[in-house]
């Protein structure tokens, strides 16, 4: 079985390399020529743990080929995974034009039976639209099925997640499509949920919306803890032991970001609303998340009085640890606000500086976490990279002008920071 993967971003590239490692011959295509050139040379265009090595191994073994011509990719493949982007339109609706574009090209190049699998996150009934598009643009006797196989990987542990998923969701319309997808995932040990395509599509959107809701819920409770002197870390621990709730995604902080949660919450809300349903719960999820930025700015102002001409050192720019991805990262909104206030921003991130420089070429970037602290009035922690958790507080103290830490991810304990006489402002708990 030959597998074609169209769209080689975080999901497509990880998926393509996973299938190659599972022993299938994989053909990858992307319309970004620079990306393809890099991939052909064995250079991974994104940072994702383990991906570099797997790319080299699969190229070496000739298990994967990167093709510039999308029509060749389609014609050569038995199964085609659509992994293109599904961004948000200005009105909050999902922009499915990339999926449509690929569907049309598939239609025009069908040569025998193909299984077309949507892996991109899409609204319910998108598979029906893909099917209709292919029928409209192909010959009457076109022989194909469309299936939904949503992806649940997390950036930062994408490869681990594709080999060790919590579940694999397979949305199909018939036995043939089901058997093909089961064959592809045969060697992955995970529960396989077989559904119709609409159900599979909803599973993905509902999962992401639910996780985002958990984050906004705990952030809402964190606000109450701050007002009342309670401790959100203990509250989360106390809640998390309840198996019905679970401890995951109960970390209060600066809120969610990234390519998925913000757009998927918006899309799911939009879909519910378009069917006349009350999905206002998700409106609140988004509102609470957006207000995190103001809460952090408030903490800085409460500590520093005026932000004008104050040097703010930032640790962490990526939307989460272990990735270079800054799409919809809280850091973008925070840096924008700091610059509007007239602050001097110096920032460090282990992997995301190059991406951030494209948006903010004129702020100061440090080569390590200590360099950015020189003469800083405050340290603001935005992303909880491991390297920020073990630090030399004596050294930090010597470097900074005034000793204030605003910890947007609750990575330190009050006692350890107060010992060095810092002013420490975490989220949802007070040290004083
Ligand atoms: P991405 O932007 O990193 O990758 C998309 C790729 O598709 C880009 O490289 C782009 O050049 C390519 N592309 C667009 N149109 C094309 C076309 N016509 N032909 C060929 N290539 C084309 O996006 P991503 O993060 O990989 O996400 C892709 C999809 O997977 C989205 O729907 C997203 O919601 C979903 N998803 C993402 C994650 C994640 O953590 N990033 C997790 C699960 C699901």
């Amino acid at each position: 079985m030959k597998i074609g993967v169209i769209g080689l971003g975080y999901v497509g590239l990880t998926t393509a390399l996973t299938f190659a490692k599972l022993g299938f011959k994989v053909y990858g295509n992307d319309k970004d020529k620079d990306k393809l050139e890099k991939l052909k040379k064995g250079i991974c265009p994104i940072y994702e743990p383990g991906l570099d090595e797997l790319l080299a191994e699969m190229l070496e073994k000739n298990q994967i080929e990167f093709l510039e011509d999308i029509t060749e990719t389609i014609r050569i493949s038995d199964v085609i995974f659509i992994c293109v982007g599904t961004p948000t339109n200005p009105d909050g609706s999902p922009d499915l034009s990339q999926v449509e574009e690929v569907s049309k090209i598939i239609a025009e190049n069908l040569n025998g039976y193909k299984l077309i699998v949507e892996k991109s996150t899409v609204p319910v009934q998108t598979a029906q639209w893909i099917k209709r598009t292919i029928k409209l643009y192909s010959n009457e006797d076109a022989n194909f099925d469309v299936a939904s196989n949503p992806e649940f990987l997390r950036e930062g542990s994408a490869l681990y997640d594709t080999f060790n998923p919590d579940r694999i969701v397979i949305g199909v319309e018939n036995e043939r499509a089901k058997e093909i997808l089961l064959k592809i995932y045969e060697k992955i040990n995970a529960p396989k949920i077989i559904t119709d395509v609409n159900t599979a599509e909803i599973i993905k959107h509902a999962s992401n919306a639910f996780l985002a809701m958990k984050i906004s819920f705990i952030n809402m409770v964190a606000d109450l803890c701050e007002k009342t002197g309670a401790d959100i870390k203990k509250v989360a621990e106390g809640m998390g032991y309840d198996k019905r709730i679970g401890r995951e995604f109960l970390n209060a902080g600066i809120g969610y970001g990234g390519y998925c949660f913000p757009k998927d919450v918006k899309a799911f809300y939009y879909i519910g609303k378009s069917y006349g349903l009350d999905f206002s719960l998700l409106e609140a999820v988004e509102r609470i998340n957006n207000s995190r930025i103001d809460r952090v700015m408030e903490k800085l102002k409460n500590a520093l009085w005026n932000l004008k001409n104050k040097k703010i050192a930032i640790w962490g720019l990526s939307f989460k640890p272990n990735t270079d991805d800054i799409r919809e990262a809280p850091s973008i909104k925070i840096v924008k606000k700091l610059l509007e206030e007239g602050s001097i921003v110096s920032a460090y991130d282990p992997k995301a500086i190059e991406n951030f420089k494209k948006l903010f070429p004129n702020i100061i970037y440090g080569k390590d976490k200590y360099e950015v602290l020189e003469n800083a009035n405050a340290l603001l922690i935005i992303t909880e990279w491991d390297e920020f958790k073990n630090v030399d507080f004596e050294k930090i103290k010597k470097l900074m002008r005034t000793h204030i830490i605003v910890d947007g991810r609750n990575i330190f304990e009050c006692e350890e920071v107060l010992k060095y006489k810092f002013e420490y402002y975490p989220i949802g708990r007070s040290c004083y």
Side-chain angles (χ1 to χ4, degrees):
M1 189 165 11
K2 292 177 188 143
I3 300 180
V5 177
I6 298 177
L8 297 168
Y10 288 85
V11 165
L13 183 58
T14 310
T15 302
L17 290 171
T18 301
F19 292 154
K21 181 74 179 169
L22 289 173
F24 298 100
K25 176 78 192 204
V26 178
Y27 297 90
N29 166 267
D30 197 290
K31 70 173 179 189
D32 180 339
K33 300 284 170 250
D34 288 345
K35 199 176 261 189
L36 276 184
E37 277 318 303
K38 279 189 180 148
L39 287 167
K40 279 186 200 167
K41 289 182 194 147
I43 302 167
C44 199
I46 51 171
Y47 171 73
E48 192 56 50
L51 219 54
D52 264 326
E53 294 83 350
L54 189 57
L55 172 64
E57 186 191 335
M58 291 304 109
L59 281 172
E60 159 100 52
K61 291 188 173 148
N62 201 25
Q63 280 295 124
I64 192 158
E65 271 180 55
F66 296 105
L67 305 177
E68 268 173 41
D69 187 353
I70 185 171
T71 62
E72 190 189 349
T73 314
I74 293 162
R75 298 178 80 80
I76 214 168
S77 306
D78 305 303
V79 184
I80 300 160
F81 281 80
I82 302 178
C83 301
V84 296
T86 49
T88 310
N89 284 317
D91 66 354
S93 62
D95 171 359
L96 297 168
S97 54
Q98 295 178 31
V99 177
E100 186 189 22
E101 188 188 337
V102 171
S103 307
K104 275 191 211 159
I105 306 173
I106 292 175
E108 287 157 2
N109 290 280
L110 279 180
N111 55 340
Y113 177 82
K114 313 258 175 208
L115 177 62
I116 295 133
V117 189
E118 52 173 37
K119 203 168 228 338
S120 299
T121 302
V122 291
V124 60
Q125 293 194 328
T126 298
Q128 308 301 338
W129 278 105
I130 295 176
K131 211 167 144 180
R132 179 175 153 74
T133 305
I134 295 177
K135 279 193 179 148
L136 277 176
Y137 290 89
S138 62
N139 299 329
E140 271 171 26
D141 55 352
N143 190 9
F144 68 97
D145 283 309
V146 178
S148 164
N149 169 223
E151 182 53 59
F152 298 93
L153 64 77
R154 298 160 300 173
E155 285 178 29
S157 53
L159 257 191
Y160 176 85
D161 292 343
T162 50
F163 283 105
N164 305 278
D166 290 340
R167 76 305 209 181
I168 292 168
V169 174
I170 292 174
V172 283
E173 288 187 322
N174 57 37
E175 278 297 305
R176 187 176 188 178
K178 178 178 125 185
E179 291 312 319
I180 292 173
L181 281 164
L182 284 177
K183 180 86 200 145
I184 290 175
Y185 287 111
E186 193 176 28
K187 292 185 195 151
I188 304 270
N189 183 18
K192 284 153 194 152
I193 320 292
I194 314 289
T195 72
D196 58 276
V197 282
N198 288 341
T199 304
E201 289 166 337
I202 291 186
I203 289 174
K204 174 62 193 178
H205 260 157
S207 300
N208 272 9
F210 188 85
L211 292 172
M213 181 183 73
K214 251 185 132 178
I215 295 173
S216 279
F217 185 89
I218 204 68
N219 281 330
M220 175 187 81
V221 179
D223 286 347
L224 182 63
C225 289
E226 273 184 27
K227 295 277 181 211
T228 56
D231 180 339
I232 192 63
K233 279 185 124 174
K234 292 280 173 209
V235 171
E237 191 186 345
M239 289 169 66
Y241 274 110
D242 187 326
K243 289 189 193 70
R244 295 167 302 173
I245 298 172
R247 181 63 187 83
E248 300 262 325
F249 277 73
L250 285 185
N251 294 328
I254 301 182
Y256 59 78
Y259 185 51
C260 294
F261 285 0
K263 82 172 171 62
D264 293 350
V265 168
K266 272 195 179 72
F268 208 38
Y269 170 69
Y270 185 91
I271 296 155
K273 217 174 130 200
S274 70
Y275 284 99
L277 303 171
D278 182 4
F279 267 41
S280 55
L281 177 63
L282 297 182
E283 219 174 7
V285 167
E286 192 180 10
R287 193 173 58 244
I288 292 168
N289 196 59
N290 290 340
S291 69
R292 295 307 94 194
I293 306 297
D294 294 331
R295 301 284 296 120
V296 157
M297 291 299 291
E298 217 175 275
K299 278 178 195 288
L300 275 173
K301 280 186 183 171
N302 286 343
L304 288 169
W305 189 12
N306 296 299
L307 295 182
K308 193 171 179 182
N309 293 329
K310 298 272 168 60
K311 183 173 178 183
I312 313 296
I314 289 177
W315 279 3
L317 298 169
S318 55
F319 84 94
K320 65 188 281 196
N322 296 324
T323 178
D324 60 354
D325 196 351
I326 58 160
R327 291 179 288 182
E328 297 289 323
S331 58
I332 296 175
K333 288 184 186 152
I334 293 171
V335 169
K336 234 180 231 165
K337 286 208 181 253
L338 287 172
L339 295 177
E340 278 163 18
E341 294 278 348
S343 305
I344 301 151
V345 178
S346 62
Y348 168 71
D349 186 284
K351 295 288 174 196
I353 288 179
E354 287 316 310
N355 284 337
F356 212 75
K357 269 187 187 164
K358 291 176 200 156
L359 296 182
F360 297 97
N362 296 325
I363 63 170
I364 303 164
Y365 292 96
K367 68 174 185 318
D368 64 44
K369 62 185 175 221
Y370 294 114
E371 195 180 80
V372 288
L373 294 170
E374 215 169 299
N375 274 323
N377 295 93
L379 162 62
L380 171 60
I381 301 167
I382 299 186
T383 319
E384 66 277 33
W385 285 87
D386 274 348
E387 71 168 79
F388 302 151
K389 293 178 182 163
N390 293 309
V391 292
D392 181 344
F393 283 111
E394 283 294 359
K395 188 169 173 179
I396 296 180
K397 201 149 184 216
K398 279 191 197 126
L399 287 165
M400 290 180 75
R401 177 77 184 80
T402 49
H403 304 122
I404 293 165
I405 300 177
V406 175
D407 181 356
R409 297 294 177 187
N410 276 341
I411 64 175
F412 298 132
E413 293 307 324
C414 291
E415 310 77 64
E416 64 177 324
V417 192
L418 295 188
K419 209 164 67 192
Y420 295 92
K421 304 220 166 12
F422 281 92
E423 278 186 33
Y424 179 56
Y425 302 103
I427 304 281
R429 60 202 172 104
S430 169
C431 298
Y432 306 102

